[in-house]
Amino acid sequence: MEAKPMTDFSKLCIHTITTRPWPLDGAIRHYAAAGVAGISVWRQAIEGQDPVQAGRRIREAGMAVVSLVRGGFYPALGKKDRQKAIRENLRIIDEAAALGAPHIVLVCGAVPGQPLGESRKQIREGIQATLEHAAAAGVKLAIEPLHPMYADSRSAVNTLSQANDMAEAIDSPLVGVAVDVYHLWWDPQLEQQIRRCGRLGKILAFHICDWKSPTEDLLNDRGLMGEGCIPIRRIRGWVESTGFAGFNEVEIFSTSRWAGDQEHWLQEILRAYREAS
Amino acid sequence: MEAKPMTDFSKLCIHTITTRPWPLDGAIRHYAAAGVAGISVWRQAIEGQDPVQAGRRIREAGMAVVSLVRGGFYPALGKKDRQKAIRENLRIIDEAAALGAPHIVLVCGAVPGQPLGESRKQIREGIQATLEHAAAAGVKLAIEPLHPMYADSRSAVNTLSQANDMAEAIDSPLVGVAVDVYHLWWDPQLEQQIRRCGRLGKILAFHICDWKSPTEDLLNDRGLMGEGCIPIRRIRGWVESTGFAGFNEVEIFSTSRWAGDQEHWLQEILRAYREAS
């Protein structure tokens, strides 16, 4: 069943990377003025800043901090590098707590040439090694399955089924999944796997954008909702029917959009959010 | 279990698209001189030629015609266009028979925005509508699952599991699958699904190349075996352990390789075939 169109922005969250040319304060100002309710903060956007202050500025502007993006990248060929990744993730958890973000989105990582099964084992161990710290900080971890075209170097977790398997295996109330339509729309098991993690209360985030035909670049040619072939409203219907009541997070990497006027781009996002999300 | 390295070229087949700048006769001459045993003919390579003559020239050069590439593209929004696609596939079957190709590789098709389930239904119906003709011509049809990054416009069949489901549903000795490592390497179900179609005797073709990190283009940046992260020898081991004794078909779309000297490129393929396939 398709979800109903969104008529206001009370569930709209935008990832800072979507308007990448704007520094954090520009994003806060423009999003808030447009009535956007939430913001997901990419780490680059607060680099060199005090995350406590950044979080405060977001809340003072009337917005919610929805998530910190991104942790993960646990796999590595050597043990030292894996331990380094775990230490980095502990720092990211501190950053999320300081920012006031309830969860971190995990791009889990992969090492070209290392068997994917081995990378998945390292991902599980990496997450587990940070759980105590995450619990103390009150920060959840959202495993984001990435499109199979990123299996070489970005994530060995490439379907919602695999993310659910991993979240179940870790079996912690701190660990859930992020459902991103860009990565998952093609999967014939998607509806069933959304039901599965929904039943377990493990959907921590829902990300939207679109898949353009043709897509010119593997990384930075995502489409605005309505520009592509993803049945966003249908997928949102599946997610909401599990009881998920969180934000619809617009996360769009687009070299061509970043090159244009960002105020105009934000207006297009608002229009597309109502018309095609 | 990994397969053993290839020590000769008796199972080596090259797709004409791999050395795209060469016309068919150039490919035949160079492949044969190098001891390549088989050739898979892309339709573009015989456009405007008599396929009977083309097939004869290949066999006279001492090579086998391994497959005709490619049929498919069944889905369309309108019934007329779907019927047109079926007529085109009947012509492709005639072409394969004339060429002496035992099977056609099917890139099944998809229509941006049309639900993938509907496209898959149209694919099944399209294949079924050509079965009688294929039987009379003695030509088999190999469903090739394509990487999920092609789900928008090239194929709604994106995993070997789906291809196997479709081949089982059609349930004809004429219909099998093509296993291409580029499309399938990331799938945690791959080994099990290779066993499944192997048991049914449905593996009609095995295609090799590699996945480069980074991959610069969704279509034409495939890697030579050994240049990327695909465990080719392990996957070949799975395929061979089902009893598959067909060719290892090198199919590489690469703008940068096509821009270089093709004789040198062919030598690199031969080297990589022994070292990394």
Side-chain angles (χ1 to χ4, degrees), chain A residues 124-153:
Chain A
R124 200 179 59 238
E125 289 169 353
I127 293 173
Q128 283 168 328
T130 63
L131 280 182
E132 200 172 316
H133 198 73
V139 171
K140 292 189 176 185
L141 305 173
I143 299 168
E144 181 175 41
L146 255 56
H147 195 284
M149 72 182 171
Y150 303 124
D152 59 333
S153 59

Side-chain angles (χ1 to χ4, degrees), chain A residues 31-112:
Chain A
Y31 295 1
V36 175
I39 184 165
S40 279
V41 177
W42 273 58
R43 293 189 72 210
Q44 294 92 316
I46 50 168
E47 210 178 329
Q49 301 183 36
D50 174 2
V52 174
Q53 293 291 339
R56 189 172 299 155
R57 291 200 304 277
I58 292 169
R59 284 182 292 275
E60 282 174 0
M63 286 188 291
V65 178
V66 177
S67 70
L68 178 64
V69 192
R70 53 197 191 185
F73 289 102
Y74 305 100
L77 292 178
K79 193 174 177 184
K80 273 197 178 166
D81 284 332
R82 293 196 293 277
Q83 287 173 333
K84 195 174 150 195
I86 287 168
R87 285 195 303 274
E88 176 70 3
N89 276 281
L90 296 177
R91 270 193 297 274
I92 298 171
I93 288 168
D94 291 338
E95 210 170 284
L99 187 69
H103 69 261
I104 297 164
V105 177
L106 300 181
V107 171
C108 292
V111 179

Side-chain angles (χ1 to χ4, degrees), chain B:
Chain B
M1 195 185 58
E2 277 202 357
K4 291 201 178 112
M6 304 306 299
T7 52
D8 64 43
F9 299 144
S10 61
K11 295 278 184 189
L12 171 59
C13 165
I14 302 180
H15 281 231
T16 58
I17 196 79
T18 303
T19 56
R20 181 167 156 172
W22 277 341
L24 180 64
D25 283 333
I28 293 173
R29 192 173 71 249
H30 286 101
Y31 295 1
V36 175
I39 185 164
S40 279
V41 177
W42 273 58
R43 293 189 72 211
Q44 295 90 316
I46 51 169
E47 210 179 328
Q49 300 183 37
D50 174 1
V52 173
Q53 293 290 340
R56 190 173 298 156
R57 291 201 303 277
I58 291 169
R59 285 183 291 275
E60 282 174 359
M63 286 187 291
V65 178
V66 177
S67 70
L68 178 64
V69 192
R70 52 199 191 183
F73 289 102
Y74 306 100
L77 292 177
K79 192 172 177 184
K80 272 196 177 167
D81 285 331
R82 292 197 293 277
Q83 288 174 332
K84 196 174 149 195
I86 288 168
R87 285 195 303 275
E88 176 69 3
N89 276 281
L90 296 176
R91 269 193 298 274
I92 298 170
I93 288 168
D94 292 338
E95 210 171 285
L99 187 68
H103 70 260
I104 296 165
V105 177
L106 300 181
V107 171
C108 292
V111 179
Q114 172 167 279
L116 293 171
E118 175 61 28
S119 287
R120 283 191 283 271
K121 180 172 162 282
Q122 294 175 3
I123 291 165
R124 201 178 58 239
E125 290 170 352
I127 293 173
Q128 283 168 328
T130 63
L131 280 183
E132 199 173 318
H133 198 73
V139 171
K140 292 189 176 185
L141 305 174
I143 299 168
E144 180 175 43
L146 255 56
H147 195 283
M149 71 182 172
Y150 303 124
D152 59 332
S153 59
R154 281 181 173 72
S155 183
V157 179
N158 305 107
T159 62
L160 188 52
S161 164
Q162 289 174 267
N164 286 341
D165 287 349
M166 189 167 294
E168 279 198 357
I170 294 172
D171 191 21
S172 157
L174 293 165
V175 176
V177 301
V179 173
D180 185 319
V181 300
Y182 191 75
H183 298 300
L184 305 176
W185 72 277
W186 60 271
D187 184 353
Q189 288 194 43
L190 183 56
E191 181 178 6
Q192 148 196 356
Q193 292 294 332
I194 285 173
R195 273 204 302 270
R196 176 180 167 204
C197 53
R199 229 174 10 240
L200 300 167
K202 290 210 170 291
I203 303 180
L204 299 183
F206 179 55
H207 297 180
I208 56 177
C209 70
D210 216 333
W211 183 285
K212 288 163 63 184
S213 305
T215 291
E216 305 285 359
D217 185 87
L218 278 84
L219 286 173
N220 296 323
D221 192 28
R222 296 196 187 188
L224 181 63
M225 298 79 75
E227 277 185 340
C229 61
I230 300 180
I232 301 171
R233 207 165 276 170
R234 188 173 322 134
I235 298 174
R236 182 162 66 79
W238 297 338
V239 168
E240 289 177 358
S241 73
T242 70
F244 177 81
F247 285 88
N248 302 304
E249 304 182 39
V250 176
E251 181 189 43
I252 303 175
F253 314 145
S254 170
T255 306
S256 61
R257 297 296 193 165
W258 292 332
D261 176 74
Q262 297 301 290
E263 293 189 44
H264 176 68
W265 172 220
L266 177 58
Q267 293 306 316
E268 289 198 85
I269 292 168
L270 299 175
R271 177 192 52 72
Y273 181 72
R274 281 184 303 245
E275 292 175 3
S277 298

Side-chain angles (χ1 to χ4, degrees), chain A residues 74-75 106-110 116-117 119-124 127 142-167 170 176-178 183-184 186, chain B residues 186 188:
Chain A
Y74 305 100
L106 300 181
V107 171
C108 292
L116 293 171
S119 287
R120 283 191 284 271
K121 180 173 161 282
Q122 294 175 5
I123 291 165
R124 200 179 59 238
I127 293 173
I143 299 168
E144 181 175 41
L146 255 56
H147 195 284
M149 72 182 171
Y150 303 124
D152 59 333
S153 59
R154 279 180 173 73
S155 183
V157 179
N158 304 106
T159 63
L160 188 52
S161 163
Q162 289 175 265
N164 286 342
D165 287 349
M166 189 167 293
I170 294 172
V177 301
H183 299 299
L184 305 175
W186 60 273
Chain B
W186 60 271

